[in-house]
Amino acid sequence: MTPTGAAPGAAGSTADWRHARRYRRDDPADRQVLDALDQQLSGLCLLDTPVWVFDAERCQCLWANPGGLAVWRAASVADLQARDVASTQSDAVYALLNDYLGRVDSGETIAVWVTLDPRGTTRRFYQSHHVVQLLDGRKVLLIEAREEPPAEELLAFAANHTLTLGLYDFEGRLLSGNPAFTQLARSGLLGDLGALLPEGEAFRRWPAIITEQSKLVFEAELPTERGQRRFLCELRRVLADTRAPRALLTLYDLTEQRVAEAEQAKDAAVAATEAKSQFLAHMSHEIRTPLHAIIGFSHLCLQTRLDDQQRDYVTKTQRAARGLLGVVNDILDFSKIEAGAMTLESVPFELAGTVAQVDTVIGHLARAKGLHFAFHVGADVPPVLVGDALRLGQVLLNLAGNAVKFTHAGAVMLSASLAGRVEDHLEVEFRVRDTGIGLTSEQLGRIMQPFSQADTSTARRYGGTGLGLAISRRLVGRMGGELTVETVAGVGSTFRFTARFLQGVAGATPVVQTWVEPSPEVLERLRGRRVLVAEDNDFNQQLISELLASLGMDTTVVGDGLLALERLTRESFDLVLLDVQMPHRDGYETVAQIRATPAFAHLPVIAMTANVTPQDRNRCLDAGMNDVLPKPVDPGDLARTLARWMSPATGDQSPLGRVAADGTPANPDTLPPAIDLSVLRDLLHGNEERVVWFTNRFLASANATLEEIAEAGPDLSETGRLAHRLKSAASSAGAHTLAAVCHALETAARGGETEQAVALMAQLPALVQRIADAIARGQK
């Protein structure tokens, strides 16, 4: 007997059986074998039941009666013989059929229940197997499918089949079962069929139902040695003998299937969330694009001479636009939280400064309404905490903003105190109390649900999306706490939450969460530089031109990527600002062609996009952009980002422009700084302790990658992959020259330019050593 899982036969192995020689009617010897088989089995054409012959060793159908042809949906026996069954057959089925052949040939009875669909109607058949010897001496399987097995085969079938089968009389009493069924029956739930069946008229009349119909299907939970399991139960009428009908109960264990279905449902939910996030990101882009113009032009307008009335109008316009931007950000934040994509920072910050910012933003609104606005940080709270100050401030601003919005007289008070310690974390309790309109118990049950407010009139009177509290509750949960509220309608409310933080290290520089004007050094670095802007929106073209002009830069604007490429071939620029979504040629296609052109393969290219998800940013960087500016563009961020990619010396093109087209650095004495630490300082909000930690981490990673590149040797595909990885890290750390050489190495490796790749690899150790020296000098 051949063991199941192996694939025996003349072909010899599972790797060869798909390509075994088949019988062909155009071969005289093969045709003689097939004709002899047809003559031998011609009498079976009178049977109503499907019969066919299957060569298990060669995986080929050799013959079928009319019923068998219907099962295979074949027009003729010749059509069936020509079918390519092997390419669609699995190794498991091939091995199983060969196993059947060996077992039946040795005298064993093999029969299984199968589901077939002759003539398009799905029906269940009892399939038995026999051995037929061909004219050339080879043995093949003859398979017969019947709707009911003969009585003498049924009990043998129930005794040795791998399914769980039990035989009942029409009174519902268990008569016999195979070993698997007998073992289950020990629980006492299978002895009486009536006790197992679900409630309902159809199941009370089960003998009549299975007599009139083909089967009765239901599900049941049964205790087993592996715990509680769920089974699909199929009850059928069979003729076990000539005296009385019997009911055959077949049990299929569905437990793993149900687990898989749950996983599939989870995957579908995740996919739906991702689709929703993509939709929201698209809508965000459509809204941010006009907001970019409104906020930018109002900013420029406020820099001009305005009378008091004009300044008031423009200021209110800008404030309304920023309010709308806040709504868009709320929706994106909620989407990120739902998708599990919201990550919290862990950096030092001053709690008093974060709370004071709430007073800066909200306090003047409260005082304008005649409210008393006060905040207090307990003396027991350490001055420096480690956590996400931005998200904490977002929660406090939302709660304080709501308190001011819904309070018409009295006070709004914000406080923070130490609630205790949880392992190595401090638990800080925050309270926002007001003397406002309060909430009823019914309203209290709704306010923290997404897109919900206290009542419909609230939306009309006070505005808002109904997302603020839902986002705040989820953010508090991410910070290890819980947001609760105590309220009395007409008296006021107290919103309370806790959040967990690490205690800040003594001497650590806290994060400053304030907007900073570009420094004189930044403005000097930008003055007189030439920038090519590719932007298709007329308003945005004018806006970015005037913003750049206000920074003292020389700007050329084109309407799409194709025009940008044409302009680059005729003129020299220090940097390219590239809108991502443009007609004719978008930003991704444009930067790809820029990077493929040696003359400006290392020219700094900054993406401008209203798509602001991390995936969008990564896509821009992977496409070859050096940095990403989100729309609406903040004037201060614009200046600092552009300066990041310009060398300090007047007249130098850029740090990347100091690298030759083949990636070879210029004279070391004329190279720009090995690493621009202002990149990490901007990224880490001036936290010097974190800057030192990240630079050392980057240096260790760069040296490790150099070793991997050396080990890769002639494997250019691996070298290109490693160069891409080091390029991304170098760009993020401000090591622009190293990033440029890595980009050139990546391009050479992917293009199969071995000689150039080797020359570029030789440059890397010296560049990394210059970075190490610069980091060491900066830490002294």
Side-chain angles (χ1 to χ4, degrees), residues 651-690:
D652 288 344
Q653 185 186 32
S654 70
L656 298 181
R658 291 292 206 137
V659 181
D662 64 353
T664 305
N667 186 324
D669 295 334
T670 63
L671 282 173
I675 185 168
D676 181 1
L677 294 178
S678 68
V679 174
L680 283 175
R681 288 193 181 102
D682 284 348
L683 184 66
L684 300 172
H685 309 289
N687 184 347
E688 290 297 332
E689 184 179 277
R690 298 286 287 174

Side-chain angles (χ1 to χ4, degrees), residues 405-624:
K405 182 190 298 184
F406 298 114
T407 300
H408 305 300
V412 173
M413 289 157 285
L414 189 157
S415 65
S417 60
L418 186 63
R421 291 181 177 268
V422 180
E423 297 178 348
D424 57 343
H425 284 76
L426 300 175
E427 192 166 63
V428 181
E429 182 182 79
F430 298 87
R431 296 188 184 192
V432 178
R433 292 186 296 160
D434 65 63
T435 56
I437 61 176
L439 296 163
T440 65
S441 58
E442 182 184 355
Q443 292 168 339
L444 190 60
R446 292 199 305 264
I447 59 169
M448 292 193 192
Q449 298 302 314
F451 306 102
S452 295
Q453 295 182 320
D455 57 41
T456 54
S457 65
T458 301
R460 290 193 299 270
R461 182 175 181 184
Y462 296 103
T465 61
L467 278 176
L469 285 176
I471 292 172
S472 296
R473 182 169 65 88
R474 285 163 172 79
L475 287 176
V476 167
R478 294 294 303 275
M479 291 187 283
E482 182 180 3
L483 176 61
T484 60
V485 58
E486 298 170 0
T487 182
V488 178
V491 175
S493 304
T494 298
F495 284 82
R496 178 188 290 108
F497 72 92
T498 56
R500 295 178 184 178
F501 307 96
L502 293 172
Q503 184 167 347
V505 180
T509 304
V511 173
V512 180
Q513 299 288 339
T514 56
W515 185 84
V516 180
E517 287 282 354
S519 65
E521 292 79 8
V522 166
L523 295 175
E524 181 61 32
R525 192 178 296 190
L526 299 179
R527 189 170 292 112
R529 298 304 180 89
R530 299 202 68 211
V531 179
L532 175 63
V533 178
E535 165 67 66
D536 65 306
N537 184 283
D538 292 343
F539 290 103
N540 289 339
Q541 286 180 354
Q542 182 183 352
L543 171 62
I544 197 67
S545 297
E546 296 195 21
L547 286 174
L548 293 173
S550 71
L551 298 173
M553 306 188 78
D554 181 11
T555 307
T556 298
V557 179
V558 295
D560 60 54
L562 188 60
L563 294 174
L565 291 168
E566 293 175 357
R567 203 65 176 254
L568 279 173
T569 60
R570 301 198 308 266
E571 301 177 45
S572 176
F573 294 94
D574 296 298
L575 184 141
V576 177
L577 275 174
L578 200 59
D579 184 34
V580 170
Q581 292 189 345
M582 293 183 294
H584 307 307
R585 186 160 300 178
D586 64 22
Y588 302 115
E589 295 171 312
T590 303
V591 76
Q593 192 156 345
I594 289 175
R595 296 308 183 213
T597 306
F600 40 80
H602 310 297
L603 181 67
V605 179
I606 312 297
M608 295 186 299
T609 177
N611 296 329
V612 293
T613 66
Q615 295 86 348
D616 293 316
R617 177 179 175 82
N618 291 337
R619 184 183 176 190
C620 289
L621 296 178
D622 289 342

